[in-house]
Amino acid sequence: MRLALAEIRRRRGRWASITGAVAFIVFLVLVLAALSDGIFVGTTGALGSSDADALVYSTDGRRSLVRSELPIAELPALAAIEGVADAGALGVLLATAATDGAAFDIAVMGHLPGRVGEPTTLEDGRHPAANESFVGLADVSLREEGIDLGSSILLTGSAQPVEVIGFVTDARYLLAGTLWVTMETWESLRFEIRPETIGRGSVAQALPFTVADGAAVDAVMANVDAAFGTTETVTTDEAMLSLPGVAQQASTFTAIIVVSFVVVGLVTGLFFALVTLEKRGQLAILKAIGSSNYMLLRGILVQALIATVAGYVLGFGLSRLLALVLPPAVPVEFLAGTARTLFLATVVMGAIGATLSFRRIIHIDPASALGGEA
Amino acid sequence: MTALTVANVTKVYGSGHTEVTALTHANLELRDNEFLALLGPSGSGKTTLLSVIGGLLSPTEGTVTIGDTALTTLSKKEQTRFRANRVGFVFQGFNLVPFLTARENLTVMASISDSSRSEIEARADQLLEELGLVNRHDNLPEQLSGGERQRVAIGRALVSDPDLILVDEPTASLDTELGTQVVQLLAAEIKSRGKAGIMVTHDLRMVEYTDRTVQILDGKLLNGAG
């Protein structure tokens, strides 16, 4: 251990190179992961910000909030199913809004105040009451459009504006800012903006529900579909991954991140392979005077741990600096859980890479230390 | 007491038409407090014999016993441990760890041998004084002269208090004057501790500092082996 630490202390240039290489890759991975998380949260936040365990869609809606339609009158029947603790309603209306003349995309989300499905991430203001019309919660991203508490948002095609009475975080839908209104207000706006939907009556596009303590989510979901016959019930996680492009985006970013970690392993492995080759004589001497293979491996692992942890810290710092200068429009989310996972992956890949050179060490013949070969 | 017994040791490299016999039925005994010179030309088998005695190579036939331990019956792992505690090596060309100071090149044995760190550090400080390196203890090998480096190597070989010191061509990288000084110092250190030592050399001038000389030629020990 002391030998490994002394080598790092006295060969700083060499160790700075591997630390820098790891830091660069970690920086890239963290930025990619932040973009991935940012896009994921920005796309699915409307579903993820509620505490729903599952959502009921109409079968022909194929897990799409836009295509699915369920009569809101089915809600009491859903709430009565064994294992359902609370049930709510959800509707989405993609529209164009304007404040002070500037137009922007917005997703108007219908929900039942106080019931499951409403966002639980209130940052400022208050939730609308069940009987309040044309007031709503705005996602904080709408502040960039000049929206503040008390602002009125007028949707294109609608005559009556919606007053913002609160802000919620991480509640966007398909990267558009959301405006959360009661189902009654949502229906009014929908009929105004999409008059072709008037004939369809009072519908929700999904019925979110929570499961009672002790009940199995899968079993309750099966009960729901059995009771209605024309529904497809999925967990909230499945619903989020079913949103357009989300699964593909997630798998693309995951593939890039996994490949980057393989590169961390390869870079570390190559570095230690070169170092081992260069130190072959020295390692032969150490083996000749009684160092065990285990002791030499332990030293390499300690060095790999220090290089990867230092590289991670440096890469993490750089990625956070970048986040400070990125424009707000770039969807980045630095999540603590992702950072922890990537830290572990960095350390593990570094250790695996370093361990690859162990085979070379085992094959170094201590007898080569004599006769001037070392 | 007998410090080392080499009994009927043969070492053959390769097999079939590539077979080379490096040692043939070698027999050698060494007592405590005895410093022996192993003399022979290049390719005579000196290094092979030293490697077999030090447990770095396994003999094809025969046994090596150091003190009361039959080295040839130990597993590879046990031989590594045995070398760490009972055998000291001085290599050609110094072969110090380049990023450790002179003192650290001695105290590194605390991580390798079973001796405690405090024991090793105390012995290291004493050896550095005896070897005239007190003022150089904090220098890296690249900051030391050839003679100083070889003195550090001697210190490393002795710091774990081994029973047997094996020295491989200690003067190969030194001029005559420095080489003589180093071998004198080496002999004094070995004798003052009552240890047994074998020095491989082809330099006849160094023989006078040893108790006995054994010659080796074509893998055969020629004289005074017993």
Side-chain angles (χ1 to χ4, degrees):
Chain A
M1 178 90 85
R2 282 168 186 261
L3 195 63
L5 296 178
E7 186 173 10
I8 290 179
R9 209 168 54 240
R10 303 232 170 86
R11 294 276 189 269
R12 287 200 194 112
R14 165 184 293 180
W15 294 94
S17 66
I18 179 68
T19 301
V22 171
F24 180 65
I25 299 169
V26 165
F27 167 74
L28 286 177
V29 167
L30 282 169
V31 171
L32 281 172
L35 280 169
S36 175
D37 287 340
I39 290 174
F40 184 80
V41 172
T43 308
T44 65
L47 301 179
S49 62
S50 88
D51 52 11
D53 293 314
L55 288 97
V56 185
Y57 293 96
S58 62
T59 307
D60 57 3
R62 289 183 289 125
R63 302 185 182 189
S64 162
L65 267 185
V66 178
R67 285 191 297 265
S68 170
E69 283 190 353
L70 292 160
I72 206 141
E74 303 275 22
L75 200 56
L78 174 63
I81 290 172
E82 191 180 348
V84 174
D86 184 24
L90 208 54
V92 62
L93 174 65
L94 299 175
T96 303
T99 50
D100 301 329
F104 54 92
D105 292 334
I106 192 167
V108 181
M109 307 298 295
H111 73 293
L112 296 174
R115 307 287 290 271
V116 61
E118 73 175 354
T120 57
T121 53
L122 186 71
E123 188 214 50
D124 196 9
R126 64 175 179 85
H127 285 274
N131 58 357
E132 278 186 293
S133 295
F134 289 92
V135 294
L137 294 169
D139 182 79
V140 290
S141 61
L142 291 179
R143 282 185 175 137
E144 289 162 35
E145 308 295 345
I147 306 293
D148 210 338
L149 282 179
S151 295
S152 289
I153 299 175
L154 185 64
L155 302 178
T156 303
S158 169
Q160 190 168 351
V162 178
E163 183 192 349
V164 174
I165 59 168
F167 279 100
V168 287
T169 58
D170 295 335
R172 281 175 293 166
Y173 178 75
L174 300 181
L175 297 175
T178 49
L179 181 64
W180 295 76
V181 297
T182 64
M183 284 305 288
E184 287 77 13
T185 301
W186 177 78
E187 193 174 82
S188 299
L189 291 168
R190 191 187 191 211
F191 288 165
E192 268 189 290
I193 295 168
R194 301 270 150 73
E196 71 275 14
T197 61
I198 292 173
R200 296 179 195 166
S202 288
V203 296
Q205 289 178 299
L207 302 177
F209 67 88
T210 52
V211 170
D213 289 344
V217 176
D218 286 350
V220 177
M221 283 165 48
N223 287 344
V224 169
D225 287 338
F228 289 115
T230 56
T231 59
E232 183 182 8
T233 306
V234 296
T235 62
T236 303
D237 286 345
E238 287 170 333
M240 290 194 286
L241 287 172
S242 300
L243 289 171
V246 170
Q248 292 82 351
Q249 282 165 8
S251 59
T252 302
F253 275 106
T254 302
I256 295 172
I257 289 168
V258 167
V259 168
S260 300
F261 276 114
V262 172
V263 173
V264 169
L266 288 174
V267 166
T268 318
L270 186 65
F271 174 79
F272 278 98
L274 291 172
V275 167
T276 304
L277 204 63
E278 185 196 311
K279 295 197 306 185
R280 196 180 169 81
Q282 183 189 311
L283 291 168
I285 298 282
L286 287 170
K287 288 177 85 167
I289 64 175
S291 296
S292 64
N293 286 322
Y294 168 70
M295 179 189 157
L296 298 175
L297 173 66
R298 201 176 48 185
I300 281 179
L301 287 178
V302 166
Q303 289 176 333
L305 182 70
I306 291 170
T308 49
V309 169
Y312 184 88
V313 169
L314 194 58
F316 182 82
L318 288 172
S319 67
R320 297 315 298 260
L321 284 177
L322 180 74
L324 292 176
V325 298
L326 279 176
V330 179
V332 288
E333 289 276 349
F334 286 93
L335 303 178
T338 305
R340 274 195 297 273
T341 306
L342 297 184
F343 173 75
L344 283 176
T346 306
V347 170
V348 169
M349 287 310 293
I352 290 172
T355 308
L356 294 177
S357 63
F358 187 51
R359 212 175 129 260
R360 287 173 185 271
I361 291 174
I362 287 175
H363 285 101
I364 291 174
D365 183 3
S368 65
L370 290 175
E373 290 178 44
Chain B
M1 277 191 56
T2 304
L4 166 73
T5 306
V6 175
N8 204 29
V9 164
T10 295
K11 178 64 186 177
V12 179
Y13 292 109
S15 59
H17 65 280
T18 61
E19 189 174 291
V20 175
T21 302
L23 281 177
T24 308
H25 302 299
N27 290 286
L28 181 70
E29 267 197 18
L30 191 66
R31 296 182 308 279
D32 287 336
N33 202 30
E34 186 178 21
F35 189 28
L36 179 145
L38 185 61
L39 207 62
S42 293
S44 59
K46 304 187 298 287
T47 299
T48 299
L49 180 59
L50 208 63
S51 300
V52 170
I53 291 171
L56 299 173
L57 280 179
S58 298
T60 310
E61 271 179 50
T63 59
V64 173
T65 305
I66 297 174
D68 52 3
T69 304
L71 191 57
T72 37
T73 63
L74 300 180
S75 68
K76 286 278 176 203
K77 199 179 266 186
E78 289 168 334
Q79 283 183 353
T80 301
R81 189 138 213 86
F82 187 86
R83 285 200 303 274
N85 293 298
R86 306 276 300 274
V87 184
F89 287 94
V90 179
F91 302 97
Q92 267 186 51
F94 327 126
N95 281 316
L96 301 175
V97 180
F99 50 81
L100 296 183
T101 64
R103 186 174 187 270
E104 286 168 345
N105 262 289
L106 271 61
T107 56
V108 72
M109 289 306 294
S111 309
I112 296 171
S113 74
D114 290 338
S115 299
S116 69
R117 180 156 291 279
S118 57
E119 277 178 308
I120 291 285
E121 286 182 344
R123 277 190 222 132
D125 290 336
Q126 188 194 338
L127 279 162
L128 288 170
E129 195 174 333
E130 288 173 15
L131 295 164
L133 293 165
V134 171
N135 295 328
R136 310 291 275 161
H137 74 277
D138 217 16
N139 287 102
L140 293 171
E142 66 190 18
Q143 298 165 322
L144 300 174
S145 68
E148 287 170 333
R149 286 184 215 178
Q150 196 59 298
R151 280 186 272 158
V152 175
I154 293 168
R156 182 176 63 188
L158 291 165
V159 77
S160 55
D161 197 25
D163 302 323
L164 178 66
I165 318 295
L166 301 177
V167 187
D168 184 24
E169 302 272 13
T171 60
S173 306
L174 303 173
D175 61 36
T176 306
E177 191 184 338
L178 266 181
T180 305
Q181 284 175 11
V182 163
V183 172
Q184 275 179 318
L185 195 57
L186 180 65
E189 290 293 336
I190 289 174
K191 301 292 282 184
S192 70
R193 285 172 170 73
K195 306 294 180 188
I198 298 177
M199 175 176 66
V200 163
T201 184
H202 56 256
D203 188 343
L204 279 169
R205 289 166 301 182
M206 301 304 153
V207 167
E208 66 174 288
Y209 304 106
T210 62
D211 299 311
R212 186 156 59 101
T213 302
V214 170
Q215 284 192 309
I216 184 168
L217 189 66
D218 295 333
K220 291 174 187 153
L221 294 176
L222 298 182
N223 60 313

